Amino acid sequence: MCGIVAAVAQRNVQGILLEGLKRLEYRGYDSAGMTVFNGRELTRHRAVGKVAALSRKLDTAALPGTSGIAHTRWATHGKPSEANAHPHHSGEQVAVVHNGIIENYETIKDQLQASGYHFSSETDTEVITHLLAEKLDSGLSLFDATQQIVNGLGGAYALAVISPQAPGVVIGARQGSPLVVGVGIDEAFLASDPLALLPVTDRFIYLEEGDLVELSEQGAIRIVDCDGNDVERPIQTFEHGDGAASKGDYRHYMLKEIYEQPEVIRAALEGRLSDDHVLVESFGPDAQAIFQTTKQIHIIACGTSYHAGLVARYWLERYAGIPVQVEVASEYRYRYPVVPEGTLFVTLSQSGETADTLAALRYAKQLNYIGTLAICNVPGSSLVRESDVTLMTRAGPEIGVASTKAFTTQLIGLMLLTLSISRVHGGHQHHADIVSALKALPALCQQVLALDPAIEVLSEAFAEKHHALFLGRGAHFPVALEGALKLKEISYIHAEAYPAGELKHGPLALVDADMPVISVAPNDDLLEKLKSNLQEVRARGGQLFVFADEQVGIEERDDIRVLRLPHIHEALTPLLYTLPLQLLSYHVAVLKGTDVDQPRNLAKSVTVE
Ligand code: G6P
């Protein structure tokens, strides 16, 4: 989950690398560095903290040169420090940036130390630099040296390498971590994410697992696959406009992305609905056959995407009659899951590169699933390329580390899945109503966003709190989980979510005047039960914040603050009720002065285990 950017051109590359790093900062931001080859030697700057700290060093002493590599780090091995920041060098010979984890680095380090190599960092990456130096000393070219050493690396990596022994050349390699080639005119680039390179190109080659690539001056690109054969990979044009990657008039990316939800929900539905049903072909030509044989579903995801999966369980069981299991990928991949006949494997991921989710997919492919479906936001991502059937969520680039529009568009994808499977199995009940509610959803989301000023006022009650409890019932329990996750991620307030009916089995003991309790109360068949749970909170002196349907009779009192939401078909309430919780977390974080878009210790795309 670090970010890599590399370039070889016939112009100075420092600016390209620096802009690339700024765009990759969402992947990690505890330190950054850059090495440029100036025609004679490798020159390097590294700095602890955000890319801005590196930028200041470059202002003082520029690094001119036509080939270079750069990195923004999210620490795994060794604390954030200048010595641990990338690029790592082996003497004057070679410079490396790395994303991923080399699991066998200790063994390799012992061997290298025994051969006399001196280590100047605590990182796993540094072994790669000395391994390369050893091979270069034996007379191999930089390309051959990299090809030989990657075979001995266990774990996951994306690498970019330069050396004065190969002027005008950048080598890249990927295994388990994302890396794309940016195709320029007489120049070529590498990055962990195409977003990094949009100022210089919109044409990309998505490397496959085990690929090794050589970029040279004049933009020549040579790719060799894991068997050592020269291969051609297709060049794809990037779909999202670059405007999506800027903050526009918003103070934070997160706020912009929250406000984009009506528009991206509309995009996620476009061309996928008829008058009264979902077009199953939205999932591609093979979907019909796979859905026909689907008797149950296993959904695997991480973080916010996992919460989307939990909502979908309620939908798929209720509206499609399909039993569903939902599990976090890091648990699933190390279990011995029983896969009943006719089970479809579904992954959810914003990035399509989350290491645990990807590993779970690869594991699932060895089991007897009838097929694999990825619901994902990034076309060309590993998850998309490796799944049988895919649905793009069309949220556009999401930069804020705390996921917002990616979540709601995943829910759209999951509702489309629910109705598609139901339809393929001959179901039609509720379809027309839900389809017309989906069409009305963007406008209702807009109405909810108009409540923002009132939510901002509400947020003042949280800024001084240390804990918060979120309650929901049915499909709104995962909405509560997502609300709690948002609050803890960006405001660092300890927040927990419970199914409201479970309150009396433990968390009620925590309720007092210092514990705000947030609840979502749509007008569904669990409303009366939820109201009783809320009384349990009031009776203990708790302060309640209720997001309620305009038609439910929950009145505002001293100890209950109520925010009324427009009425919507009950199938879609999890979507609508997510928005005020996102806004609440946002405003609490702004009041607390935390880093909203890049909260401490977190990264947007977790490409390490
Ligand atoms: C990280 C991000 C979360 C995200 C999770 C899963 O933890 O900070 O926002 O939900 O990864 O990522 P994915 O890309 O697979 O949805």
Side-chain angles (χ1 to χ4, degrees):
M1 46 212 277
C2 307
I4 290 177
V5 55
V8 54
Q10 293 172 51
R11 51 176 167 155
N12 268 338
V13 293
Q14 177 190 300
I16 299 170
L17 298 177
L18 188 63
E19 175 61 25
L21 286 187
K22 287 181 187 157
R23 290 163 167 257
L24 289 179
E25 232 180 353
Y26 72 86
R27 300 177 61 87
Y29 34 81
D30 58 48
S31 52
M34 181 187 298
T35 296
V36 173
F37 178 59
N38 65 10
R40 295 181 312 280
E41 58 184 355
L42 300 173
T43 54
R44 171 174 69 174
H45 283 320
R46 295 181 291 176
V48 175
K50 293 194 172 187
V51 174
L54 176 68
S55 177
R56 283 193 290 278
K57 284 198 171 178
L58 290 165
D59 285 345
T60 318
L63 296 180
T66 55
S67 60
I69 58 178
H71 188 269
T72 175
R73 181 167 185 250
W74 185 81
T76 57
H77 293 71
K79 61 183 182 302
S81 68
E82 196 166 318
N84 288 333
H86 301 218
H88 290 285
H89 288 190
S90 184
E92 304 292 312
Q93 252 183 317
V94 66
V96 174
V97 288
H98 165 223
N99 170 24
I101 290 178
I102 306 302
E103 284 179 339
N104 56 340
Y105 84 102
E106 280 172 322
T107 321
I108 302 175
K109 190 169 177 175
D110 289 346
Q111 290 161 1
L112 287 163
Q113 280 175 327
S115 311
Y117 284 96
H118 168 71
F119 280 75
S120 55
S121 78
E122 303 157 279
T123 64
D124 51 343
T125 306
E126 198 179 346
V127 299
I128 303 173
T129 64
H130 300 311
L131 283 173
L132 284 170
E134 202 174 43
K135 294 290 177 194
L136 289 172
D137 280 341
S138 75
L140 290 182
S141 69
L142 187 60
F143 185 87
D144 292 345
T146 314
Q147 192 171 32
Q148 284 201 6
I149 68 123
V150 291
N151 290 331
L153 301 179
Y157 56 79
L159 301 176
V161 181
I162 56 171
S163 165
Q165 284 167 250
V169 167
V170 172
I171 306 292
R174 80 157 275 184
Q175 179 71 54
S177 296
L179 193 65
V180 296
V181 178
V183 182
I185 298 168
D186 297 336
E187 51 192 17
F189 316 94
L190 288 174
S192 306
D193 182 326
L195 275 184
L197 299 174
L198 287 182
V200 284
T201 186
D202 63 352
R203 297 191 306 142
F204 294 96
I205 297 172
Y206 294 88
L207 294 174
E208 303 273 327
E209 291 293 35
D211 278 357
L212 194 72
V213 61
E214 180 177 61
L215 313 179
S216 25
E217 282 170 326
Q218 271 93 35
I221 296 165
R222 175 187 174 204
I223 302 175
V224 167
D225 69 10
C226 55
D227 299 320
N229 300 315
D230 277 80
V231 283
E232 290 275 327
R233 302 267 182 241
I235 297 179
Q236 299 181 26
T237 303
F238 193 74
E239 278 187 7
H240 309 302
D242 193 20
S246 78
K247 242 184 273 184
D249 292 335
Y250 290 91
R251 186 166 166 197
H252 295 100
Y253 281 111
M254 184 183 178
L255 189 63
K256 174 177 180 251
E257 288 157 3
I258 291 173
Y259 270 83
E260 280 172 355
Q261 287 175 110
E263 184 193 324
V264 294
I265 287 174
R266 207 173 279 124
L269 291 170
E270 198 188 307
R272 292 170 170 171
L273 300 177
S274 82
D275 281 355
D276 60 358
H277 62 267
V278 170
L279 302 172
V280 180
E281 308 80 57
S282 310
F283 290 84
D286 301 331
Q288 177 93 16
I290 293 180
F291 292 170
Q292 226 140 30
T293 50
T294 299
K295 293 189 189 143
Q296 53 261 312
I297 294 181
H298 289 174
I299 299 179
I300 303 300
C302 301
T304 288
S305 298
Y306 167 67
H307 293 157
L310 290 176
V311 173
R313 181 174 64 179
Y314 290 89
W315 286 344
L316 280 155
E317 296 198 338
R318 168 151 189 205
Y319 298 110
I322 296 278
V324 176
Q325 275 183 34
V326 191
E327 194 172 356
V328 288
S330 53
E331 284 301 311
Y332 173 87
R333 63 182 285 194
Y334 293 113
R335 279 205 301 118
Y336 298 89
V338 175
V339 182
E341 193 206 330
T343 307
L344 174 64
F345 184 82
V346 177
T347 53
L348 307 174
S349 175
Q350 187 282 126
S351 61
E353 301 292 352
T354 301
D356 284 319
T357 310
L358 208 47
L361 170 65
R362 290 173 184 160
Y363 178 36
K365 284 171 127 180
Q366 300 161 28
L367 307 174
N368 63 321
Y369 286 99
I370 52 165
T372 57
L373 161 67
I375 296 183
C376 185
N377 192 34
V378 179
S381 61
S382 302
L383 208 63
V384 168
R385 283 184 284 120
E386 295 182 28
S387 299
D388 300 327
V389 179
T390 59
L391 185 87
M392 289 305 125
T393 49
R394 302 177 182 164
E398 191 181 65
I399 308 295
V401 165
S403 187
T404 52
K405 62 175 181 170
F407 176 71
T408 39
T409 51
Q410 278 172 347
L411 290 182
I412 293 290
L414 288 161
M415 182 46 94
L416 296 177
L417 177 68
T418 302
L419 297 184
S420 294
I421 293 199
S422 164
R423 182 172 165 79
V424 167
H425 288 217
H428 51 79
Q429 215 195 347
H430 306 295
H431 285 216
D433 290 348
I434 297 177
V435 165
S436 79
L438 280 169
K439 290 176 180 168
L441 183 62
L444 288 176
C445 288
Q446 206 70 60
Q447 285 182 35
V448 172
L449 293 174
L451 300 171
D452 194 10
I455 297 170
E456 191 175 354
V457 172
L458 221 55
S459 69
E460 288 163 15
F462 291 79
E464 302 300 322
K465 301 288 190 227
H466 299 288
H467 307 275
L469 192 59
F470 286 72
L471 301 177
R473 294 197 74 129
H476 304 96
F477 166 49
V479 171
L481 282 169
E482 177 57 13
L485 177 63
K486 286 289 87 82
L487 190 68
K488 73 182 105 173
E489 275 181 314
I490 61 170
S491 74
Y492 316 148
I493 291 176
H494 167 228
E496 283 194 66
Y498 266 86
E502 193 64 11
L503 190 64
K504 53 194 168 297
H505 298 294
L508 200 52
L510 297 171
V511 171
D512 61 15
D514 285 329
M515 171 74 95
V517 178
I518 301 106
S519 174
V520 285
N523 193 6
D524 60 14
D525 47 12
L526 290 171
L527 178 66
E528 291 311 316
K529 297 199 181 303
L530 181 74
K531 282 183 176 171
S532 313
N533 301 140
L534 300 186
Q535 291 307 336
E536 293 162 11
V537 172
R538 290 185 69 207
R540 272 83 190 170
Q543 177 72 47
L544 273 168
F545 297 83
V546 186
F547 295 89
D549 186 292
E550 59 198 3
Q551 296 171 359
V552 312
I554 299 180
E555 293 308 321
E556 179 119 0
R557 297 168 202 272
D558 281 353
D559 55 355
I560 310 188
R561 312 266 301 264
V562 182
L563 201 103
R564 298 192 195 287
L565 272 72
H567 182 68
I568 185 171
H569 188 290
E570 65 173 310
L572 301 188
T573 45
L575 272 146
L576 204 63
Y577 282 72
T578 295
L579 272 54
L581 300 187
Q582 295 169 342
L583 284 168
L584 180 68
S585 301
Y586 172 76
H587 289 299
V588 174
V590 170
L591 278 177
K592 291 198 70 181
T594 53
D595 190 338
V596 171
D597 285 331
Q598 296 178 336
R600 68 184 182 202
N601 307 340
L602 301 179
K604 180 79 191 154
S605 180
V606 185
T607 52
V608 293
E609 184 173 351

